Amino acid sequence: MNRTTWLLLSFFILGVIAVGYVYFNREDALMRGLKAERNFAVKDVSRLQKIFIAQRDGETTLLEKKGPEWLYNGKYKARPNAMDNLLDAIQRVEIDHIPAKAAIKNIVNNLAGEGIKVELYESGEQPVKTYYIGSGTQDERGVYMIMDGFDQPFVCHIPGWEGNLRYRYNLRGDDWRDKTVFAEDPDNIQSVSIEYPKQKNRSFKLERKGGSSFDIRPFYKITPKLPLPYREGSAEAFLIGFESLVAEAFENETPAKDSVRQIVPFSVITVTNKQGKTTQAKLFPIFPESVMSLDPKTGQWVSSDGATVERYFVDHSSGDFMLIQDRVFRKVLRGYDFFYGR
């Protein structure tokens, strides 16, 4: 074999290698791209540090992880249940199927007009994933989604869960916020006072003196002390009620807020922990002009006309105006005599 033949053969071999290299790298890039456009889930959500959600009407939500908690818009503690649902969706979302080609144009238009943009961040300045969530399918079991930078939309769902996962991302304003009124470890409570301005004899102050020792006395000096023995364990049972007391809703936008705040409250609850942090809630029955009394048969507070109180407005020391349910807070709406007797 002469020199010319060797050179031609060498060029041919090199050409095959080059073509193969380009081809296989192209195929590899295509596979990576195919995987990227389908890979919506973040399997390890513990690595997420920030979630940014933008609505088409301009409203935005920023959720940032600070230690074990999430903050909403840099100011408020995020509602744990809302975050659990969101993170569950982020972790478990999967493609259910590829929509028919004939429907893709309408789906893309829907995503452009109604899509919620979601950016997921770990430690860096750039999001690890960005995708858009459109409307739900007709049977509400899936939702249209598309990865940022790609053209192919998909119908996605959470395996084993029936529902439209868009709702987990589509909360607005106060719906993201933690609705806790009181949340204190009973062993970390230093004192509690409950004032009933219209029932002074039921008002009291409870103060921890050390360990399981408590001083419980009337809130008002004019109220005589009860000549009865202390009921063992009553203080501990009462304090357990403050572990988790959550409002039904925020009512910061209600027109009645300012006028309600001018009324004498039915009750003022003040809790101070061992670190000196004080939390206060003023309770106003939904019918605030009624005279309240305790029904000894049911243990419920009732109005003078016999109607049962089901809800209260709450003026919270955080500045929020909230709505609470009597059935949730009844366990701490105790009177001075609760702690005494046989």
Side-chain angles (χ1 to χ4, degrees):
M1 191 178 292
N2 59 35
R3 179 181 176 83
T4 301
T5 303
W6 274 111
L7 286 173
L8 289 173
L9 183 59
S10 298
F11 279 123
F12 174 76
I13 293 171
L14 289 172
V16 170
I17 293 172
V19 169
Y21 178 81
V22 171
Y23 174 80
F24 285 111
N25 274 275
R26 178 176 175 275
E27 288 296 303
D28 185 54
L30 288 172
M31 290 301 294
R32 289 198 304 270
L34 184 62
K35 183 178 179 181
E37 74 171 347
R38 293 169 175 259
N39 190 17
F40 291 95
V42 175
K43 296 304 181 184
D44 186 3
V45 292
S46 66
R47 295 174 61 88
L48 292 178
Q49 299 298 313
K50 184 168 67 174
I51 301 169
F52 178 77
I53 301 172
Q55 306 283 349
R56 286 300 184 185
D57 61 6
E59 181 170 342
T60 60
T61 296
L62 179 62
L63 301 162
E64 295 175 285
K65 194 172 184 180
K66 302 295 182 183
E69 297 180 344
W70 286 84
L71 288 185
Y72 161 66
N73 283 358
K75 184 177 181 182
Y76 306 106
K77 181 182 176 182
R79 183 160 56 92
N81 182 254
M83 288 306 307
D84 288 344
N85 286 336
L86 176 64
L87 292 172
D88 179 65
I90 290 171
Q91 184 177 51
R92 298 204 294 131
V93 61
E94 288 185 4
I95 293 173
D96 183 64
H97 64 271
I98 299 173
K101 288 185 178 180
I104 288 179
K105 182 178 178 181
N106 288 335
I107 293 171
V108 171
N109 288 338
N110 169 263
L111 285 160
E114 300 180 22
I116 300 171
K117 184 180 184 181
V118 180
E119 296 178 356
L120 306 175
Y121 295 80
E122 292 183 354
S123 58
E125 293 296 321
Q126 297 299 317
V128 293
K129 288 186 191 297
T130 300
Y131 52 76
Y132 296 84
I133 304 173
S135 62
T137 55
Q138 196 166 19
D139 62 5
E140 288 293 311
R141 294 183 176 180
V143 67
Y144 298 114
M145 295 179 63
I146 191 169
M147 194 69 71
D148 186 45
F150 294 92
D151 301 321
Q152 176 64 57
F154 298 93
V155 175
C156 297
H157 71 145
I158 298 174
W161 182 76
E162 296 287 332
N164 186 333
L165 66 88
R166 177 185 170 99
Y167 297 131
R168 300 197 183 192
Y169 297 80
N170 201 25
L171 302 182
R172 289 173 176 264
D174 286 344
D175 289 337
W176 283 111
R177 293 183 55 195
D178 181 24
K179 297 180 177 66
T180 296
V181 180
F182 294 104
E184 198 67 69
D185 181 347
D187 293 332
N188 194 43
I189 295 176
Q190 181 59 37
S191 66
V192 177
S193 70
I194 300 188
E195 177 187 3
Y196 301 104
K198 294 183 179 181
Q199 292 184 309
K200 290 181 169 56
N201 64 323
R202 299 189 62 80
S203 306
F204 66 92
K205 293 181 180 180
L206 179 153
E207 187 170 359
R208 188 185 298 274
K209 291 300 183 182
S212 59
S213 176
F214 301 91
D215 175 34
I216 304 166
R217 58 190 184 277
F219 186 88
Y220 297 98
K221 291 181 180 180
I222 60 172
T223 303
K225 290 188 176 183
L226 290 174
L228 296 170
Y230 169 70
R231 191 160 60 87
E232 292 295 331
S234 59
E236 290 88 347
F238 169 69
L239 294 177
I240 287 172
F242 290 96
E243 278 188 307
S244 179
L245 288 170
V246 180
E248 180 179 353
F250 288 100
E251 293 288 343
N252 290 313
E253 303 303 320
T254 181
K257 180 175 67 175
D258 292 337
S259 59
V260 169
R261 281 174 165 166
Q262 302 304 312
I263 300 170
V264 176
F266 156 65
S267 176
V268 181
I269 306 173
T270 306
V271 178
T272 302
N273 64 21
K274 291 181 179 179
Q275 291 72 46
K277 179 185 176 183
T278 295
T279 305
Q280 187 178 84
K282 297 179 181 178
L283 277 60
F284 303 87
I286 299 302
F287 37 94
E289 295 303 321
S290 300
V291 177
M292 308 300 295
S293 61
L294 186 68
D295 185 333
K297 294 181 180 179
T298 65
Q300 288 183 303
W301 293 95
V302 297
S303 67
S304 56
D305 59 6
T308 301
V309 178
E310 294 185 357
R311 287 176 171 80
Y312 302 85
F313 285 125
V314 167
D315 187 10
H316 197 260
S317 54
S318 64
D320 285 309
F321 201 66
M322 310 164 91
L323 183 70
I324 66 169
Q325 297 182 13
D326 174 76
R327 66 178 182 84
V328 175
F329 279 73
R330 192 183 310 161
K331 59 190 174 185
V332 299
L333 290 175
R334 302 295 189 179
Y336 175 44
D337 58 350
F338 170 77
F339 302 95
Y340 294 93
R342 291 180 172 82

